[in-house]
């Protein structure tokens, strides 16, 4: 193990029966949803202007430990938007859309972990995040079931950019893509872009290659059936008889489903090694959308991400950086 190959242990899992899982995929993006022919593309999906300044803002947390950022809408606010790196498109709550009397747009199809539904959309004349702004934004309007969340800020703000979720400093930063390498306390992991998302490609579970995605919109870490089957097969080979606890989960759009709780004994993400990682398994529509239903895959949620000082996602150079906490370093 070199100086920057770090190991960490995680044994956290929500003790509440209902674990809030975020919207892993919103439609209104090419390949994920069908637009009405007359509906023009929303400028929010375009790449940011080259001279767009970096922005850094303070963030908060909701009761499920999601990261929240203050967002301005049509000169009003700030409103609290959940930072969701698993959502392709930013959304607004139905309640806020009604409160601000936002202009109705054409219906749009929205993909969540559970399935796809047609939802109403609204037109936001101006949407501000720190020093950055978008105009004429068409956003799905969703019936969120959690108090204190006015919308979702997706990765449509991050084309070719770099997002830093700093959990230690409680800030969010968006900057231009930049070159960097792994150093002591910071592990850089290669990734590839898949439908706008970043998928870590250098990852394995006890030597078996897997795919891993970053989803700050999910409270829990989630796996697909092939990865669950891989874990069960390893338990059988070790002679273990394990009963996986059933758990209830719910999306932000009030969609309930059931999963199983299990633990990944050892997972590697590039030079980062994690042990005893709790995950929730459920048959989910979103793995089909991402074309991750045939091979082992895991979606890293806030229960794991928030254990680091910071997580940086560079959409321009396709990599993810994990900043190791001081307590994690002392355990090495």
């Amino acid at each position: 193990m070199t100086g920057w190959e770090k190991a960490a242990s995680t044994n956290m899992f929500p003790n509440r029966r209902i674990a809030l899982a975020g919207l892993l995929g919103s439609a209104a993006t090419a390949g994920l949803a069908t637009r009405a022919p007359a509906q023009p593309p929303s400028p929010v999906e375009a790449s940011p202007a080259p001279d767009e300044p970096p922005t850094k803002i303070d963030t908060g947390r909701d009761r499920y430990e999601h990261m929240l950022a203050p967002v301005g809408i049509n000169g009003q606010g700030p409103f609290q938007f959940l930072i969701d790196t698993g959502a392709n498109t930013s959304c607004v709550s139905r309640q806020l859309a009604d409160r601000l009397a936002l202009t109705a747009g054409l219906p749009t199809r929205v993909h969540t972990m559970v399935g796809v539904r047609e939802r109403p959309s609204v037109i936001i004349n101006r949407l501000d995040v720190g020093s950055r702004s978008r105009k004429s934004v068409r956003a799905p309007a969703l019936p969120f079931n959690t108090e204190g969340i006015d919308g979702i800020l997706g990765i449509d703000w991050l084309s070719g950019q770099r997002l830093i979720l700093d959990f230690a400093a409680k800030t969010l930063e968006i900057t231009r893509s930049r070159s960097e390498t792994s150093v002591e306390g910071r592990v850089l992991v290669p990734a590839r872009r898949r439908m706008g998302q970043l998928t870590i490609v250098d990852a394995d579970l006890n030597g078996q290659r897997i795919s891993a995605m970053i989803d700050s919109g999910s409270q829990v870490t989630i796996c697909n059936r092939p990865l669950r089957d891989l874990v069960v097969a390893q338990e059988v080979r070790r002679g273990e008889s394990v009963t996986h606890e059933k758990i209830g989960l719910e999306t932000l759009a009030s969609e309930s489903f059931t999963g199983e709780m299990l633990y990944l004994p050892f997972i590697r993400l590039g030079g980062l090694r994690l042990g005893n990682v709790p995950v929730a398994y459920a048959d989910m529509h979103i793995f089909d959308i991402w074309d991750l239903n045939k091979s082992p895959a895991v979606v890293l949620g806030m229960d794991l991400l928030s254990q680091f000082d910071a997580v940086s996602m560079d959409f321009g150079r396709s990599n993810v950086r994990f900043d190791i906490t001081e307590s994690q370093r002392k355990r090495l």
Side-chain angles (χ1 to χ4, degrees):
M1 180 178 294
T2 68
W4 54 265
E5 287 179 319
K6 301 300 180 183
S9 174
T10 172
N11 54 16
M12 296 176 58
F13 199 87
N15 55 17
R16 53 180 68 87
R17 290 295 297 168
I18 297 296
L20 184 65
L23 294 167
L24 295 185
S26 304
T29 56
L32 290 187
T34 302
R35 278 198 184 89
Q39 178 67 28
S42 168
V44 77
E45 297 166 19
S47 298
D51 59 348
E52 191 161 19
T55 189
K56 185 175 183 178
I57 55 178
D58 293 331
T59 61
R61 295 285 186 94
D62 70 357
R63 63 192 179 103
Y64 295 103
E65 294 303 306
H66 292 114
M67 183 175 276
L68 304 178
V71 171
I73 294 180
N74 297 347
Q76 300 185 60
F79 304 105
Q80 296 301 309
F81 273 49
L82 184 151
I83 310 304
D84 190 351
T85 59
N88 294 330
T89 301
S90 299
C91 308
V92 64
S93 73
R94 180 71 262 177
Q95 298 90 324
L96 182 61
D98 291 342
R99 173 181 160 193
L100 299 181
L102 298 178
T103 302
L106 294 178
T108 184
R109 300 176 71 202
V110 176
H111 293 263
T112 69
M113 287 182 294
V114 179
V116 57
R117 291 186 59 183
E118 188 173 89
R119 297 286 192 181
S121 73
V122 294
I123 305 300
I124 300 174
N125 295 331
R126 177 172 172 172
L127 196 153
D128 300 314
V129 178
S131 59
R132 297 190 171 202
S133 298
R134 296 289 187 274
K135 295 181 179 180
S136 301
V137 175
R138 182 170 70 97
L142 306 181
F144 296 157
N145 62 358
T146 303
E147 292 183 7
I149 295 181
D150 298 311
I152 289 176
L153 199 62
I155 62 171
D156 44 6
W157 280 75
L158 302 170
S159 178
Q161 302 286 287
R162 179 169 168 263
L163 170 69
I164 304 170
L165 303 177
D166 194 322
F167 301 108
K170 299 181 180 178
T171 61
L172 172 151
E173 188 173 0
I174 304 175
T175 70
R176 293 178 181 176
S177 174
R178 77 179 193 190
S179 177
E180 57 184 341
T181 59
S182 293
V183 296
E184 182 67 29
R186 290 184 171 183
V187 180
L188 194 69
V189 182
R192 66 177 176 180
R193 281 171 288 186
R194 181 195 296 265
M195 295 186 180
Q197 313 289 339
L198 283 182
T199 302
I200 295 173
V201 292
D202 183 21
D204 67 68
L205 174 68
N206 286 353
Q208 175 70 44
R209 185 172 293 278
I210 65 173
S211 297
M213 298 183 71
I214 306 292
D215 183 14
S216 62
S218 179
Q219 182 196 6
V220 298
T221 296
I222 300 167
C223 73
N224 65 356
R225 177 177 288 276
L227 194 144
R228 184 257 186 199
D229 292 344
L230 181 61
V231 172
V232 170
Q234 291 177 349
E235 292 172 348
V236 171
R237 283 196 296 270
R238 292 193 298 266
E240 299 175 357
S241 178
V242 179
T243 299
H244 299 130
E245 179 187 357
K246 298 293 183 181
I247 57 173
L249 299 105
E250 187 176 29
T251 72
L252 290 172
S254 305
E255 301 160 318
S256 299
F257 57 105
T258 302
E260 293 179 12
M261 173 183 169
L262 58 150
Y263 288 85
L264 308 183
F266 181 84
I267 183 175
R268 182 185 64 82
L269 306 172
L272 184 69
R273 289 164 168 78
L274 306 172
N276 199 33
V277 178
V279 300
Y281 157 72
D283 278 322
M284 289 177 292
H285 165 75
I286 203 65
F287 283 115
D288 296 330
I289 293 297
W290 282 338
D291 194 26
L292 290 174
N293 56 347
K294 296 180 181 178
S295 59
V298 63
V299 177
L300 309 179
M302 285 294 289
D303 57 338
L304 189 146
L305 300 176
S306 60
Q307 295 188 48
F308 297 95
D309 275 344
V311 175
S312 171
M313 305 175 66
D314 194 321
F315 291 84
R317 296 180 182 270
S318 297
N319 60 53
V320 179
R321 194 192 76 202
F322 297 90
D323 292 7
I324 310 299
T325 66
E326 184 63 30
S327 61
Q328 288 170 335
R329 299 185 204 185
K330 290 180 179 179
R331 291 200 298 266
L332 299 178

